[in-house]
Amino acid sequence: MSLFWLVVIVLAISLAGYIVGRARAFSSAAGEISQLHSLPSYYGANVAMKAAVPAFLVLIVWLLAQPFYINSTVSSTIPDTAIQEGSSLGLVMAEVRRAATGLDNAVAAGQMSEEFARNARADFTDITTRLKEAGQIVTSDITQPVMRAAQSYRIMVATGNLYMSIVVVLIAVAGALWGLKETNKDFRARNTVEKGIRVILFSAALIAILTTVGIVLSLVFNTIEFFRLYPATEFFFGLTWSPSFSGRGGSSELGIIPLLWGTFYISIVALVVAVPIGLFAAVYLSEYASSRVRSVAKPLLEILAGIPTIVYGLFALLTVGPLLLSVFGDNGLGIMQAGTAVMTAGLVMGIMLIPFVSSLSDDIINAVPQAMRDGSYGLGATKSETVKQVILPAALPGIVGAILLAASRAIGETMIVVLGAGAAARLSLNPFEAMTTVTAKIVSQLTGDADFASPVALVAFALGMTLFVVTLGLNIVALYIVRKYREQYD
């Protein structure tokens, strides 16, 4: 049974429980609602909650725990001789999972029978070719130990999914019967339902935290795997980015310094464009523009935030790049060799960031109490003096937050950089040269039929972890500055 249909069955049981529970509440009070402690809908909701919540909780825990158990069990069957030099057990297990997925795809597409998938030997059949024909990315020839492990992996996954379906459905039915047993006119259904809703809301509030923890852990584990294969000192202090696809890493030079320089250089150019324009636009819209002008200008300005980044990338590639090349290229000042450059990506990215700065700054400026403006005017200050000496200082912590949001967006942008800045990893101060960023290289390292057992592919996770730490550091510094200023202002 697929996960989709399992969820549908649980929801159907929950809905049926709601209807039956509501009807049973009516019957227990002989049709007199006034005899019930709670409204009939609460009795139905109690049955539905007891059917759905435990079932979905078990389903989520099972889906999280099953891969760890299966990976641990299957990995214990892989002999040490199957782990090639420069690889690891984790990378071999990744190949096993890809092979198992390929077998599933081949069976689903009718390219091989289930019996063949369960019993095929890698050394006697063209199994690698068949998996590639099924659309599965296979980074090397499937060996017999990997094939046996993949077959065991498929069987365990199928068996685990079957048991999971049975257990989840039984729990949903048991929960519904439990809720129906509680249904009587004296049962405090409203109190139970409201308490359950509070628990659900609290659990929903934890999702963001748990998601962040999951992202960080996935980055940490793969980063550790990368640093087992490549020296950390060369990665963090190397001045050359030259990945090699020969062997399992070859003579790759994976220094991150040029990528960080390109990331910060393009982001600085973007902020130089976005911050003044966005902040001035916010001041005008909030303090100088009439209500009629504001009602038209603000929505038009915020339309920029809804344009997909790929469109901005095409705009950089087809319009801004050639325009800058005509001015600064060989026919102009002669300092620009191609349309893809730091300046191209920075200008377009700055245009993209304008609504982030202006919209948030506008809301923050409008939140400054009118009494502060009136007090300034009462002391004889002009509007411009009030804006400069009263409103902007009062709104500065929020404005810094808006700029920080724009900076985080600039650092994490990918498509504009890929299309507008080029792919050259270099250390240069010339804004009219092509450069690249960390995010662009993460995409390039994980695109295509790369060997996932090599540092060339695993480096993407180390790049992501580094970018995460850098962004976190910027947030901490900005928070410190905002709090320090707020203390002085108060």
Side-chain angles (χ1 to χ4, degrees):
M1 182 186 299
S2 66
L3 182 60
F4 171 78
W5 287 112
L6 180 59
V7 172
V8 170
I9 291 174
V10 172
L11 291 178
I13 294 173
S14 178
L15 178 60
Y18 175 84
I19 296 173
V20 175
R22 194 170 183 273
R24 184 163 183 171
F26 268 116
S27 62
S28 66
E32 295 291 336
I33 297 180
S34 60
Q35 300 297 321
L36 296 173
H37 173 273
S38 308
L39 293 174
S41 59
Y42 282 106
Y43 292 92
N46 175 64
V47 178
M49 186 179 298
K50 283 184 168 59
V53 173
F56 282 126
L57 183 61
V58 171
L59 176 62
I60 293 172
V61 173
W62 196 299
L63 290 175
L64 293 176
Q66 178 173 293
F68 290 101
Y69 173 76
I70 294 177
N71 287 340
S72 175
T73 304
V74 174
S75 62
S76 63
T77 64
I78 298 177
D80 295 337
T81 55
I83 304 175
Q84 301 178 7
E85 183 180 356
S87 183
S88 65
L89 181 60
L91 297 174
V92 173
M93 279 302 302
E95 189 71 25
V96 168
R97 289 190 292 270
R98 287 194 293 272
T101 303
L103 291 174
D104 290 335
N105 294 339
V107 172
Q111 297 178 348
M112 64 176 66
S113 63
E114 179 64 31
E115 182 180 358
F116 180 85
R118 287 175 177 266
N119 302 314
R121 289 179 56 87
D123 48 356
F124 291 159
T125 61
D126 55 342
I127 193 67
T128 303
T129 303
R130 291 183 177 228
L131 293 182
K132 291 182 177 179
E133 290 177 351
Q136 182 63 33
I137 297 177
V138 180
T139 58
S140 59
D141 289 338
I142 302 298
T143 61
Q144 187 56 31
V146 170
M147 186 63 184
R148 286 198 300 267
Q151 291 167 338
S152 299
Y153 186 90
R154 292 184 67 244
I155 294 173
M156 293 186 67
V157 168
T159 304
N161 290 341
L162 176 62
Y163 288 156
M164 177 184 68
S165 301
I166 295 173
V167 170
V168 169
V169 171
L170 290 178
I171 290 176
V173 173
L177 295 176
W178 176 28
L180 290 174
K181 183 179 180 181
E182 292 178 332
T183 302
N184 57 72
K185 64 180 181 178
D186 298 323
F187 178 64
R188 299 176 178 270
R190 185 189 64 188
N191 298 351
T192 303
V193 170
E194 290 180 348
K195 185 182 296 185
I197 290 175
R198 284 198 299 270
V199 173
I200 293 173
L201 294 176
F202 175 76
S203 302
L206 290 178
I207 290 178
I209 298 175
L210 296 177
T211 302
T212 303
V213 172
I215 292 173
V216 172
L217 290 179
S218 65
L219 289 175
V220 167
F221 290 143
N222 286 283
T223 301
I224 293 174
E225 194 70 40
F226 167 72
F227 286 131
R228 288 177 181 172
L229 304 175
Y230 193 85
T233 54
E234 296 183 17
F235 175 75
F236 287 112
F237 301 104
L239 300 179
T240 303
W241 176 268
S242 179
S244 170
F245 289 89
S246 60
R248 294 188 174 272
S251 57
S252 297
E253 295 184 71
L254 303 175
I256 195 176
I257 298 297
L259 305 184
L260 288 177
W261 171 247
T263 300
F264 289 124
Y265 200 176
I266 295 174
S267 299
I268 290 171
V269 173
L271 292 176
V272 168
V273 174
V275 172
I277 297 176
L279 186 56
F280 292 164
V283 171
Y284 171 75
L285 291 175
S286 60
E287 298 298 323
Y288 294 97
S290 63
S291 58
R292 183 176 180 180
V293 173
R294 176 182 170 84
S295 64
V296 175
K298 187 173 174 63
L300 289 177
L301 188 62
E302 292 180 346
I303 287 177
L304 292 174
I307 299 176
T309 56
I310 184 65
V311 176
Y312 280 111
L314 293 174
F315 177 65
L317 179 65
L318 302 177
T319 304
V320 178
L323 180 62
L324 291 177
L325 187 62
S326 65
V327 177
F328 300 99
D330 294 336
N331 297 328
L333 299 179
I335 58 176
M336 189 173 183
Q337 302 299 321
T340 53
V342 171
M343 187 61 66
T344 303
L347 288 175
V348 176
M349 194 183 299
I351 295 173
M352 181 195 70
L353 296 177
I354 289 174
F356 288 91
V357 178
S358 65
S359 182
L360 291 175
S361 299
D362 178 63
D363 295 337
I364 293 162
I365 292 173
N366 284 327
V368 175
Q370 183 63 33
M372 297 183 69
R373 296 178 174 85
D374 296 338
S376 177
Y377 296 146
L379 293 174
T382 64
K383 181 178 283 291
S384 61
E385 291 172 337
T386 300
V387 170
K388 182 176 65 175
Q389 300 179 11
V390 177
I391 296 176
L392 289 182
L396 185 60
I399 293 174
V400 171
I403 295 174
L404 175 63
L405 177 62
S408 300
R409 179 66 186 271
I411 291 174
E413 179 53 42
T414 304
M415 292 310 303
I416 295 176
V417 176
V418 170
L419 297 177
R426 59 162 59 97
L427 292 170
S428 174
L429 291 174
N430 186 0
F432 297 100
E433 287 187 353
M435 294 187 192
T436 191
T437 63
V438 173
T439 55
K441 284 304 175 185
I442 291 176
V443 173
S444 65
Q445 296 305 118
L446 294 179
T447 301
D449 191 6
D451 186 357
F452 282 83
S454 71
V456 178
L458 286 175
V459 70
F461 297 97
L463 292 174
M465 190 66 196
T466 304
L467 198 62
F468 173 80
V469 172
V470 169
T471 306
L472 179 63
L474 289 176
N475 289 336
I476 293 174
V477 171
L479 183 61
Y480 171 79
I481 294 174
V482 170
R483 287 181 175 176
K484 193 72 175 177
Y485 179 83
R486 185 171 294 168
E487 291 174 1
Q488 296 176 356
Y489 186 77
D490 292 339

